[in-house]
Amino acid sequence: MIRMEALRKTFKSGRASVEALAGIDLEIPDGAFVVVLGPSGSGKSTLLNVTGGLEYADGGTISIDGARITEMSQKQLMRFRRDNLGFVFQQYHLLPTLNVAENVETGAYKASEPESVETILARVGLSEHARKYPHELSGGEQQRVSIARALIKRPSYLFCDEPTGSLDESTGKSILSLLQRLQEETRTTIVVVTHNVNIAAIADKVVKMSSGAIFEEVHNETKVSADEIRWH
């Protein structure tokens, strides 16, 4: 479980300061599919980055499976991320000089018990593209590579920041369907940050943010498949 208490983060720009996280209290249960929803500037990406240990909080605590990551040193935090967390971003961040299999394999670096590249490529439907390079792939295929790279080390938690933000409706839905299927198969806890309100329908739990604060949490009694959601 992820537990956040009184989480705060402030960014400074010259003499001005912006409170990106204004005392967040939130629990994310194990095995859940959670959507964090809000417009640009609401603090949702900052929440993901701080929770995932990519940025330090200015105040409050974050515990993941009982580990207090807000008290870890940079070295401890790097090790914790490596062993427990996976990340998928709107931009794919693939290495252009490496093929698909090699890009995925970079995610297994120093992992204790990674999946085989062949297994993870089959899981995301990219086996036939293993020897292709990023420029030979569509946007959806490149995002599948980034998901495979994140999953190869078998993370307990997968954080996705606008994973469909650069994709058209058909491709975006296929990526969300893949995430749904992976969550059901592996019981990985998945947190998706998005501004698309329609994506909320696929989640177990929806966290709505505005101005650095959570103003509503919704538990979906009935989820829909990604193929069924409206896009706009």
Side-chain angles (χ1 to χ4, degrees):
M1 173 180 282
I2 301 175
R3 178 176 286 110
M4 306 167 217
E5 297 179 350
L7 198 61
R8 293 187 176 278
K9 178 71 175 180
T10 300
F11 293 105
K12 293 185 178 181
S13 178
R15 295 183 179 181
S17 61
V18 177
E19 194 171 34
L21 299 177
I24 297 290
D25 295 315
L26 179 63
E27 289 188 354
I28 297 176
D30 288 340
F33 195 120
V34 177
V35 167
V36 181
L37 189 63
S40 178
S42 62
K44 59 187 187 298
S45 291
T46 301
L47 179 66
L48 182 143
N49 289 339
V50 171
T51 305
L54 299 177
E55 297 178 17
Y56 277 108
D58 296 329
T61 61
I62 305 169
S63 296
I64 302 180
D65 290 343
R68 191 73 64 91
I69 71 166
T70 39
E71 297 177 359
M72 291 181 181
S73 67
Q74 186 64 38
K75 186 174 182 179
Q76 290 171 324
L77 196 53
M78 289 177 62
R79 187 179 301 115
F80 184 85
R81 287 199 307 265
R82 181 195 69 199
D83 294 341
N84 299 280
L85 311 180
F87 298 90
V88 176
F89 301 98
Q90 181 175 346
Q91 303 302 321
Y92 317 124
H93 299 300
L94 303 180
L95 298 173
T97 59
L98 300 183
N99 64 32
V100 167
E102 292 165 339
N103 264 286
V104 171
E105 192 172 19
T106 64
Y109 178 66
K110 289 190 176 181
S112 56
E113 295 181 358
E115 291 265 22
S116 70
V117 173
E118 293 77 13
T119 297
I120 202 67
L121 285 179
R123 182 168 285 166
V124 301
L126 287 175
S127 296
E128 63 186 35
H129 300 300
R131 300 305 166 194
K132 291 184 179 180
Y133 288 84
H135 72 273
E136 300 177 284
L137 305 175
S138 67
E141 289 167 343
Q142 290 185 63
Q143 190 62 293
R144 285 174 179 262
V145 176
S146 70
I147 292 171
R149 181 181 57 195
L151 290 175
I152 192 171
K153 62 180 179 179
R154 306 176 195 254
S156 299
Y157 300 89
L158 182 65
F159 296 102
C160 306
D161 192 356
E162 297 281 7
T164 62
S166 300
L167 304 174
D168 59 47
E169 177 175 351
S170 176
T171 308
K173 286 183 176 181
S174 73
I175 292 299
L176 294 175
S177 293
L178 172 62
L179 291 174
Q180 277 189 310
R181 178 170 58 80
L182 292 170
Q183 191 265 341
E184 292 168 358
E185 290 175 355
T186 65
R187 302 309 300 168
T188 301
T189 304
I190 296 180
V191 180
V192 173
V193 162
T194 183
H195 65 274
N196 187 336
V197 296
N198 298 305
I199 292 177
I202 73 174
D204 298 302
K205 181 174 183 175
V206 184
V207 178
K208 298 181 181 181
M209 294 189 66
S210 178
S211 301
I214 295 171
F215 67 87
E216 186 179 14
E217 294 182 37
V218 178
H219 296 267
N220 289 332
E221 294 185 7
T222 302
K223 299 190 297 181
V224 304
S225 70
D227 292 334
E228 298 176 276
I229 65 173
R230 296 175 56 191
W231 200 247
H232 299 292

